[in-house]
Amino acid sequence: MIEARRLHILRAVADHRTVTAAAAALYLTPSAVSQQLTALEQETGHRLVERSAKGVRLTPAGEILLAHTNAVLAQLERAEAELAAYSSGAAGTVTVAAFATGIALVVAPAVARLAGTAPGIRIRVQDAEGDASLPMVLDRQVDVAVAVEYRGAPAADDPRLAHVPLYAEPFDAVVPVSHRLADAPEVPLAELAKDPWIGPYPGNPCHDVVVLACENAGFQPRLEHSSDDFRAVVALASADAGVALVPRSALRGMDLTGVVVRPVDGVAPTRRVFAAVRRGAEGHPLIRPVLEALGEAARV
């Protein structure tokens, strides 16, 4: 009989590629993870992982078991949801991980909405970048992620996750008031090819959006200054340190002295925001109202 907790460990090892990283995500010791993998191999009668100096990868037998693991764990999530619904599930805590702008735009309004519609649900919010929150959901550190599409992100049909689209927003060009295009009604990105750029660090989903937009305009941006805080990005632009692309919602309420904000000429780069939960958990009586409240906040 295969134990479900060992399937969780197998998936964590497949996701994180090393025993040490999987152990950290699961709050276990590396030796405990190794022991559970060995026990799982004994239960199945197959070698499931191969270790090397570069990390761990699944064997063909491990890949077969992983495909079933995703289905089994999703079904267990559904079972927990139905049991919680049977016992009413009217009270409890749901942990939501979201990036700062997402917290302001949809999470905080959803918290306020739930206080009136589902007072038994307590929301705990954690600030996490758009690419960090999805692993937190998969590792069961949080229940819901508000994340951003990015290159390498799990697809909408990923068997491990259920996606709920929330909103999409354009990036606007931010240039110093002294910039040659400051008076233009729209900014063609190709005209900024020789400018110094200010933007998020690699790994931040917004970095991917900026770089891809510039590549589509025919150039690689010369990123001279890096910050994941858009207030810092705008402040540097106001100091004439470079130009930037910033999500429109991140500019709300910001001090824009010294810069000009203009829409991008043509098809604007866009970030698409969604909520994600472990597949099978979307029907849980605590999680479903949270997803609905996030969706309502996004529509408003």
Side-chain angles (χ1 to χ4, degrees), residues 130-132 134-135 147-154 203-206 208 272 274:
D131 59 330
L134 296 177
V148 178
E149 288 183 5
Y150 60 94
R151 286 189 282 193
N204 185 315
C206 289
D208 287 347
R272 291 173 172 80
F274 62 93

Side-chain angles (χ1 to χ4, degrees), residues 9-300:
I9 290 173
L10 179 70
R11 187 160 80 178
V13 168
D15 287 342
H16 294 281
R17 304 294 183 182
T18 70
V19 168
T20 301
L26 298 173
Y27 300 103
L28 296 172
T29 64
S31 61
V33 169
S34 294
Q35 290 170 6
Q36 293 299 319
L37 285 175
T38 299
L40 185 58
E41 289 179 328
Q42 292 173 347
E43 287 174 345
T44 61
H46 291 278
R47 187 180 180 188
L48 302 174
V49 298
E50 291 181 347
R51 295 172 174 82
S52 69
K54 295 182 179 180
V56 176
R57 70 180 184 88
L58 298 188
T59 64
E63 293 287 356
I64 291 172
L65 183 57
L66 180 64
H68 289 285
T69 291
N70 291 327
V72 168
L73 295 183
Q75 191 60 40
L76 287 175
E77 292 282 358
R78 294 186 189 99
E80 290 179 7
E82 288 189 21
L83 287 171
Y86 178 75
S87 61
S88 82
T93 300
V94 176
T95 305
V96 180
F99 56 100
T101 309
I103 291 174
L105 201 61
V106 294
V107 177
V111 170
R113 186 182 300 273
L114 288 166
T117 60
I121 298 178
R122 177 173 174 261
I123 305 296
R124 293 180 62 246
V125 180
Q126 296 185 22
D127 191 330
E129 288 299 334
D131 59 330
S133 57
L134 296 177
M136 293 170 72
V137 168
L138 290 171
D139 293 333
R140 304 182 71 85
Q141 296 172 10
V142 300
D143 302 303
V144 181
V146 175
V148 178
E149 288 183 5
Y150 60 94
R151 286 189 282 193
D157 60 352
D158 190 293
R160 302 168 298 171
L161 295 168
H163 284 222
V164 178
L166 293 178
Y167 65 92
E169 64 172 326
F171 282 60
D172 288 325
V174 178
V175 301
V177 292
S178 59
H179 195 273
R180 63 189 181 280
L181 296 177
D183 293 330
E186 295 181 332
V187 173
L189 284 186
E191 296 295 322
L192 303 177
K194 295 183 179 180
D195 285 85
W197 278 73
I198 312 156
Y201 284 101
N204 185 315
C206 289
H207 174 89
D208 287 347
V209 174
V210 171
V211 171
L212 185 59
C214 292
E215 288 175 351
N216 289 338
F219 69 97
Q220 284 281 342
R222 179 162 55 90
L223 284 163
E224 292 199 356
H225 310 283
S226 298
S227 175
D228 288 334
D229 186 335
F230 286 116
R231 290 171 298 181
V233 170
V234 170
L236 285 168
S238 70
D240 207 13
V243 299
L245 289 173
V246 177
R248 186 166 292 172
S249 66
L251 294 168
R252 294 179 183 174
M254 194 181 292
D255 181 5
L256 300 177
T257 303
V259 300
V260 172
V261 178
R262 294 288 184 264
V264 173
D265 184 30
V267 179
T270 302
R271 72 170 172 183
R272 291 173 172 80
V273 180
F274 62 93
V277 299
R278 292 179 295 278
R279 190 170 292 276
E282 61 271 28
H284 193 287
L286 293 179
I287 293 176
R288 186 178 62 252
V290 175
L291 294 177
E292 291 173 351
L294 289 170
E296 290 170 1
R299 286 190 289 275
V300 171

